[in-house]
């Protein structure tokens, strides 16, 4: 694998440039040389080993099936390990981890000629994969780093009880002071899973994660596509839909998030309407707050974990072949894209948009009416 950044990562190179200050008295910027970063003395190539088994068959020229199961091992994976801050320099690239991808792919096609005028075809595809760390030096079991057995994409968070609906709820709940202060009616109540009457992160290591658990995984599971087509005389209808059956997502608190408008310094009406009030106790969001730095209600948790599975009708085309003698082919067609979708995510989110949720255009619905002529 040569896609690792620098061409010669085993050589520590020194960078040259000019300083931002005039030091020689002549009005010229001083040339400077910067020391190179650390380099591992055991750096070597990544290696990849792939194994797969598959089967393909056709039945009576109507049914085509293709199935493939694969295992892909990446050994000596180049990455930067986590070192204590006393190192005093960025961590070098090291052959520090092994990982394994396992998955399968299935494609099925059915076609039939019903009559001389009517025929149809249906294509179905379904695939799945997971990635697991099989080797990594993490002696403390820190969950924010790789560890043996970790499924890439894990989301750790709290289990949400609900909102504090009364002062009595506040008085009887586990102590949440480690996560924030000034807890009020309408704020989030987290579950005390370890029974110590205190909501904590523990030591942030396997076996001591406090009240946090694995609540989801960002890996897209069971990706599928459906592509039926039907032809009747000169008319033809093509449809394509795609989606993902299982995936979770949680907004990163390090970004400016449209999902939590109080973090953007601009309030949107949907957020106000769906926030907790004494008259709206079943709201989705907690009591409104406008402190930019106050994240106590939005720690990764089950309540705001987004189920990012979806199906989207990506393309529909209806065409008609015009019988014209003086041209090879003439066709008029009507095409629509992104006509419909369904998702488990909150109404303002789109599962195919970048995960940072910055202010970009969402997918646009479009329609095209056209004429194609081949002479």
């Amino acid at each position: 694998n040569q896609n690792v950044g620098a061409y010669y990562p085993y050589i520590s190179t020194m960078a040259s440039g000019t300083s931002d200050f005039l030091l020689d008295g002549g009005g010229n910027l001083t040339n400077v040389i910067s020391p190179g970063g650390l380099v591992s003395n055991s750096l070597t190539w990544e290696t990849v080993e792939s194994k797969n088994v598959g089967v393909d068959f056709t039945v009576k020229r109507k049914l085509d099936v293709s199935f493939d199961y694969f295992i892909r091992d990446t050994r000596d994976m180049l990455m930067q390990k986590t070192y204590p801050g006393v190192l005093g320099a960025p961590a070098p690239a090291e052959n520090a981890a092994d990982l394994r991808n396992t998955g399968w792919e299935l494609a099925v096609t059915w076609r039939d000629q019903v009559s001389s005028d009517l025929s149809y075809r249906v294509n179905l595809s379904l695939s799945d994969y997971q990635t697991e760390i099989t080797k990594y030096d993490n002696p403390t079991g820190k969950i924010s780093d790789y560890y043996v057995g970790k499924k890439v994409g894990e989301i750790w968070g709290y289990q949400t009880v609900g909102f504090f609906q009364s002062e009595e709820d506040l008085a009887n709940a586990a102590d949440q002071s480690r996560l924030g202060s000034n807890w009020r009616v309408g704020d989030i109540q987290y579950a005390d899973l370890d029974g110590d009457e205190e909501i904590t992160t523990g030591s942030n290591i396997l076996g001591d994660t406090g009240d946090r658990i694995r609540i989801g995984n960002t890996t897209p599971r069971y990706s599928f596509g459906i592509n039926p087509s039907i032809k009747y005389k000169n008319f033809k209808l093509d449809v394509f839909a795609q989606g993902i059956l299982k995936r979770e997502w949680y907004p990163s608190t390090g970004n400016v998030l449209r999902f939590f408008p109080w973090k953007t310094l601009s309030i949107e009406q949907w957020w106000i309407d769906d926030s907790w009030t004494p008259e709206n106790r079943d709201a989705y969001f907690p009591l409104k707050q406008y402190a930019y730095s106050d994240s106590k209600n939005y720690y990764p948790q089950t309540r705001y974990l987004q189920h990012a599975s979806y199906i989207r009708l990506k393309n529909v085309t209806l065409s008609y072949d015009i019988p014209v003698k003086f041209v090879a082919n003439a066709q008029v067609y009507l095409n629509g894209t992104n006509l419909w979708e369904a998702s488990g995510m909150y109404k303002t989110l789109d599962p195919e948009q970048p995960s940072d949720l910055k202010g970009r255009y969402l997918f646009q619905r479009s329609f095209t009416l056209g004429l194609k002529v081949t002479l």
Side-chain angles (χ1 to χ4, degrees), residues 133-149:
I133 301 299
T134 56
K135 175 186 174 183
Y136 188 70
D137 182 19
N138 181 2
T140 63
K142 190 176 181 179
I143 65 171
S144 58
D145 205 349
Y146 284 151
Y147 55 83
V148 174

Side-chain angles (χ1 to χ4, degrees), residues 64-280:
D64 293 330
V65 177
S66 176
F67 177 79
D68 186 75
Y69 177 81
F70 64 87
I71 299 174
R72 178 184 172 94
D73 288 301
T74 303
R75 299 189 176 93
D76 299 323
M77 187 170 65
L78 279 168
M79 60 175 299
Q80 289 181 301
K81 293 172 61 176
T82 302
Y83 287 100
V86 294
L87 178 64
E94 298 179 70
N95 302 99
D98 294 352
L99 63 79
R100 168 170 287 189
N101 288 305
T102 57
W104 51 268
E105 299 175 347
L106 173 67
V108 179
T109 299
W110 174 268
R111 63 178 65 85
D112 196 8
Q113 184 78 36
V114 179
S115 66
S116 59
D117 293 330
L118 178 62
S119 63
Y120 69 92
R121 185 192 72 244
V122 180
N123 295 326
L124 302 175
S125 63
L126 181 65
S127 63
D128 182 38
Y129 78 95
Q130 293 187 84
T131 303
E132 181 178 345
I133 301 299
T134 56
K135 175 186 174 183
Y136 188 70
D137 182 19
N138 181 2
T140 63
K142 190 176 181 179
I143 65 171
S144 58
D145 205 349
Y146 284 151
Y147 55 83
V148 174
K150 179 174 184 174
K151 297 293 181 64
V152 174
E154 286 179 352
I155 303 174
W156 287 77
Y158 298 97
Q159 184 172 311
T160 313
V161 175
F163 297 128
F164 291 115
Q165 299 287 3
S166 65
E167 293 294 337
E168 183 180 1
D169 288 346
L170 281 168
N172 295 331
D175 180 15
Q176 299 188 170
S177 60
R178 295 264 189 114
L179 305 186
S181 58
N182 192 29
W183 292 93
R184 300 170 295 172
V185 173
D187 283 334
I188 289 290
Q189 180 182 356
Y190 299 103
D192 180 20
L193 298 182
D194 59 7
D196 63 356
E197 297 298 322
E198 187 177 20
I199 307 301
T200 69
T201 62
S203 300
N204 200 39
I205 62 175
L206 293 172
D208 185 15
T209 57
D211 298 292
R212 290 189 299 166
I213 57 175
R214 296 180 186 89
I215 60 175
N217 195 294
T218 59
T219 300
R221 305 285 309 277
Y222 311 113
S223 300
F224 68 90
I226 305 172
N227 181 207
S229 175
I230 184 169
K231 190 175 188 304
Y232 178 70
K233 293 185 177 180
N234 289 8
F235 289 95
K236 186 179 182 182
L237 177 66
D238 289 290
V239 178
F240 175 62
Q242 70 173 43
I244 294 172
L245 295 179
K246 179 177 174 57
R247 179 178 57 177
E248 288 81 37
W249 177 86
Y250 199 89
S252 168
T253 54
N255 292 324
V256 177
L257 305 176
R258 299 291 172 183
F259 185 48
F260 304 138
W262 63 276
K263 296 283 282 185
T264 69
L265 304 182
S266 61
I267 306 303
E268 300 188 32
Q269 189 64 45
W270 56 265
W271 182 67
I272 295 175
D273 294 341
D274 211 2
S275 292
W276 188 95
T277 66
E279 297 77 27
N280 187 20

